[in-house]
């Protein structure tokens, strides 16, 4: 009986260490822009009792090359509470406009890796400082104005001086225009209810989540807001997701809304823009 039990354990160990594909995934560019090192977040559901540690996972491209990818367990199974039910994958890829690329998630511990990240988060007390590599910016903990300061140095030298600063500290950011030409800013909310937390901090992505109220210059609150900032390793791309909510207890209360704006005092000589469209991208240069 002892020999039989030992044999069973050895067989199970051999199976768990074998490399095998789990699922093939497709990434499609839909906006008509060629992408360079585009940050990708994909979620994959896994069978119960298959994976208990993301260290055994690896992502490979169509040619079998290992992709720099960070895996985050997002949910565990209810019965087998050690096994991962849902995993998030953060990686970057080049992709042509309107093209598709395939990737395969593997169980292959020997190929698991994430290296070369310049992503860093520093707590400066009243604000957070995030460096991605070519980009550095700060986010205030109170009086949220999205990016309080920002620098860009594409040379790789991380020369974040005044010469490379594109946003100086300011009192703008997200705002809403209501009746009576009153503008409500997130920067006007410095109360205890205004919060910012670090939701994720790993070698691939840093996510900050800010919550508070849009307030007038006199401190009157209008709507609540929630904003997430996504910063990616070695990337010039920083994504922002902003939402606002009317939490008035009176269900039929009417609030006039004339505009929702984001104001950032950019120190740039040339400002180019691009927007995706079903008939092809719209690009151009903004005038003064």
């Amino acid at each position: 009986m002892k020999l039989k039990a030992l044999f069973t354990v050895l067989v199970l160990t051999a199976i768990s260490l074998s490399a095998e594909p789990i699922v093939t995934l497709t990434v499609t560019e839909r906006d008509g822009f060629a992408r360079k090192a585009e940050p990708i977040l994909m979620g994959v559901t896994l069978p119960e009792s298959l994976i208990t540690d993301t260290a055994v996972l690896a992502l490979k491209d169509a040619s079998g090359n290992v992709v720099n990818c960070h895996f985050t367990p997002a949910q565990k199974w209810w019965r087998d509470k050690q096994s991962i039910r849902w995993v998030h994958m953060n990686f970057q890829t080049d992709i042509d406009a309107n093209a598709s690329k395939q990737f395969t998630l593997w169980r292959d511990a020997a190929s698991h890796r994430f290296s070369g990240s310049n992503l860093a988060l520093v707590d400066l007390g009243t604000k957070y400082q995030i460096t991605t590599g070519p980009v550095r910016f700060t986010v205030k903990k109170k009086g949220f104005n999205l990016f309080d300061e920002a620098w860009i140095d594409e040379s790789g030298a991380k020369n974040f001086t005044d010469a490379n600063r594109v946003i100086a500290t300011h009192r703008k950011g997200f705002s809403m225009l209501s009746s009576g030409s009153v503008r409500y800013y997130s920067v006007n909310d410095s109360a205890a209810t205004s919060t910012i937390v670090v939701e994720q901090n790993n070698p691939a992505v840093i996510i900050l989540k800010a919550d508070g109220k849009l307030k007038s210059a006199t401190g009157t609150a209008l709507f609540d807001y929630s904003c997430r900032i996504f910063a990616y390793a070695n990337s010039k791309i920083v994504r922002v997701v902003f939402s606002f909510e009317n939490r008035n207890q009176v269900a039929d209360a009417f609030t006039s809304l004339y505009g929702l704006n984001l104001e950032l005092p950019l120190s740039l000589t040339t400002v180019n823009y691009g927007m995706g469209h079903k008939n092809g991208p719209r690009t151009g240069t903004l005038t003064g």
Side-chain angles (χ1 to χ4, degrees), residues 44 46-49 51-54 72-87:
V44 174
L46 298 170
E48 189 172 7
S49 302
I51 301 295
T52 59
D53 187 354
T54 58
T72 303
Q75 188 181 38
K76 298 293 185 69
W77 280 92
W78 178 70
R79 285 177 298 232
D80 183 357
K81 292 179 172 54
Q82 299 304 312
S83 68
I84 300 171
R85 181 175 186 175
W86 189 271
V87 65

Side-chain angles (χ1 to χ4, degrees), residues 140-146 186-190 194 225:
K140 294 199 300 183
K141 295 181 180 179
K142 297 294 181 183
F144 179 68
N145 58 354
L146 189 56
S186 59
V187 73
N188 290 332
D189 185 9
S190 298
S194 173
Y225 72 85

Side-chain angles (χ1 to χ4, degrees), residues 259-272:
L260 179 64
N261 304 88
L262 170 60
E263 301 175 60
L264 291 176
L266 295 170
S267 301
L268 297 174
T269 55
T270 303
V271 181
N272 298 317

Side-chain angles (χ1 to χ4, degrees), residues 57-287:
L57 295 175
L59 189 67
K60 301 181 183 181
D61 62 19
S63 300
N65 301 311
V66 179
V67 178
N68 219 19
C69 181
H70 186 273
F71 302 92
T72 303
Q75 188 181 38
K76 298 293 185 69
W77 280 92
W78 178 70
R79 285 177 298 232
D80 183 357
K81 292 179 172 54
Q82 299 304 312
S83 68
I84 300 171
R85 181 175 186 175
W86 189 271
V87 65
H88 286 172
M89 303 182 300
N90 282 102
F91 61 100
Q92 298 179 20
T93 188
D94 299 342
I95 187 168
D96 294 333
N98 303 308
S100 295
K101 294 181 72 172
Q102 286 193 332
F103 299 88
T104 301
L105 178 63
W106 281 72
R107 182 170 63 176
D108 183 1
S111 298
H112 178 91
R113 66 181 178 88
F114 193 98
S115 60
S117 175
N118 287 304
L119 195 60
L121 173 70
V122 179
D123 190 337
L124 299 178
T126 60
K127 61 179 70 176
Y128 288 110
Q129 174 186 281
I130 295 179
T131 304
T132 68
V135 172
R136 172 174 288 176
F137 61 90
T138 61
V139 180
K140 294 199 300 183
K141 295 181 180 179
K142 297 294 181 183
F144 179 68
N145 58 354
L146 189 56
F147 308 124
D148 188 51
E149 293 181 282
W151 300 260
I152 299 177
D153 181 12
E154 299 185 62
S155 70
K158 299 182 182 179
N159 184 24
F160 301 120
T161 62
D162 287 347
N164 291 324
R165 186 165 64 174
V166 294
I167 299 177
T169 186
H170 60 95
R171 289 194 57 80
K172 297 294 184 178
F174 288 105
S175 70
M176 181 174 292
L177 182 63
S178 188
S179 58
S181 299
V182 178
R183 191 168 289 277
Y184 298 79
Y185 282 94
S186 59
V187 73
N188 290 332
D189 185 9
S190 298
T193 53
S194 173
T195 62
I196 184 165
V197 297
V198 181
E199 282 195 328
Q200 285 193 42
N201 182 9
N202 60 59
V205 61
I206 292 173
I207 304 176
L208 299 182
K209 182 174 183 287
D211 292 283
K213 296 181 181 295
L214 298 170
K215 291 185 175 182
S216 68
T218 60
T220 302
L222 184 64
F223 287 174
D224 289 72
Y225 72 85
S226 183
C227 181
R228 281 183 171 87
I229 302 172
F230 301 78
Y232 304 97
N234 312 322
S235 179
K236 294 178 291 184
I237 297 173
V238 179
R239 291 197 172 118
V240 176
V241 178
F242 179 85
S243 62
F244 66 96
E245 181 179 353
N246 186 353
R247 297 182 182 174
N248 194 318
Q249 297 297 318
V250 181
D252 59 351
F254 179 81
T255 301
S256 299
L257 175 60
Y258 296 98
L260 179 64
N261 304 88
L262 170 60
E263 301 175 60
L264 291 176
L266 295 170
S267 301
L268 297 174
T269 55
T270 303
V271 181
N272 298 317
Y273 68 87
M275 294 180 289
H277 190 274
K278 64 180 180 180
N279 296 326
R282 302 289 190 262
T283 61
T285 301
L286 297 179
T287 63

